[in-house]
Amino acid sequence: MNLVEDPWIPARRRGGAKEAIAPWQITDNFAADPFVELAAPRPDFNGALIQFLIGLLQTCFAPEDGREWRVKRRTPPTSGDLRTAFNQVKAYFDVDRGDKRFLQETALLREKRAVEHPITYLLIDAPTDNTIKKNRDHFVKAADKRFAATAEEGFCLPCAASALFTMQAFAPQGGGGGGGEVHELTGW
């Protein structure tokens, strides 16, 4: 899955329809029924996804000056224009294929320095090894049922990508638990 090319971001149109879109599709049907909000299953995912889209636009489609910004705000770029702009960086946004994966350190796997943990460790509010070991998980949900019945079943790939970016954007200092080891996440 490529986070620039493939539809994976849940969004809702003014008319109420919800669909998964690729970032370059954000202006599709803008005049008649525009997208008005992101519709991820978790509020923290929505916050991270809007930052993802803003960062992509700032990087690939930044206006030259304030005047151009105002013009683009009134008349947004077409999906084709956005796709062309975003294609410049799409090689850096593969999640599950290739040697370089979005926000993942694959060299650690080859060096066998990774410790395997469930994919649920990407959720900021999920208990991790240290929390469970010290019996401090009284008020924390062990598995988020919106993604999978159990942590072992894993997340859908778009949910895993959302969780990965959310953790990178909003993780508390020091990241998640697990005793500070490098983690290989399984279950997607």
Side-chain angles (χ1 to χ4, degrees):
M1 179 173 104
N2 185 284
L3 301 182
V4 169
E5 185 63 25
D6 299 324
W8 68 283
I9 298 173
R12 190 175 325 279
R13 291 190 179 275
R14 182 182 292 150
K18 181 180 167 185
E19 58 189 270
I21 62 169
W24 54 269
Q25 294 175 306
I26 198 72
T27 59
D28 276 358
N29 203 13
F30 181 78
D33 192 17
F35 291 105
V36 293
E37 69 178 346
L38 297 180
R42 293 173 51 109
D44 56 342
F45 286 10
N46 281 332
L49 289 171
I50 198 71
Q51 287 187 17
F52 175 81
L53 290 170
I54 290 169
L56 197 55
L57 279 166
Q58 286 177 326
T59 303
C60 301
F61 211 82
E64 293 293 323
D65 54 31
R67 182 182 175 284
E68 184 183 350
W69 184 88
R70 288 186 295 280
V71 168
K72 285 182 180 177
R73 188 164 184 263
R74 277 181 262 130
T75 310
T78 67
S79 295
D81 292 340
L82 290 175
R83 189 175 201 173
T84 299
F86 295 166
N87 275 341
Q88 301 171 63
V89 296
K90 84 176 188 180
Y92 303 102
F93 290 90
D94 284 325
V95 174
D96 61 343
R97 61 182 176 246
D99 291 337
K100 296 177 183 173
R101 296 181 179 187
F102 180 72
L103 297 178
Q104 300 173 64
E105 179 57 70
T106 56
L108 298 172
L109 293 176
R110 289 189 298 273
E111 297 169 12
K112 301 196 185 321
R113 292 178 40 209
V115 176
E116 187 174 297
H117 289 289
I119 193 75
T120 55
Y121 273 43
L122 286 177
L123 299 174
I124 292 173
D125 58 352
T128 54
D129 291 345
N130 198 34
T131 303
I132 295 168
K133 182 175 140 185
K134 292 183 177 184
N135 198 26
R136 294 182 177 168
D137 57 340
H138 302 295
F139 302 106
V140 181
K141 296 178 180 94
D144 194 322
K145 302 292 186 201
R146 290 172 288 186
F147 302 109
T150 66
E152 291 76 30
E153 289 181 24
F155 296 168
C156 66
L157 196 50
C159 291
S162 296
L164 179 63
F165 188 74
T166 300
M167 177 59 81
Q168 291 294 325
F170 300 135
Q173 186 174 0
E181 303 103 358
V182 174
H183 308 291
E184 173 188 3
L185 299 168
T186 59
W188 62 356

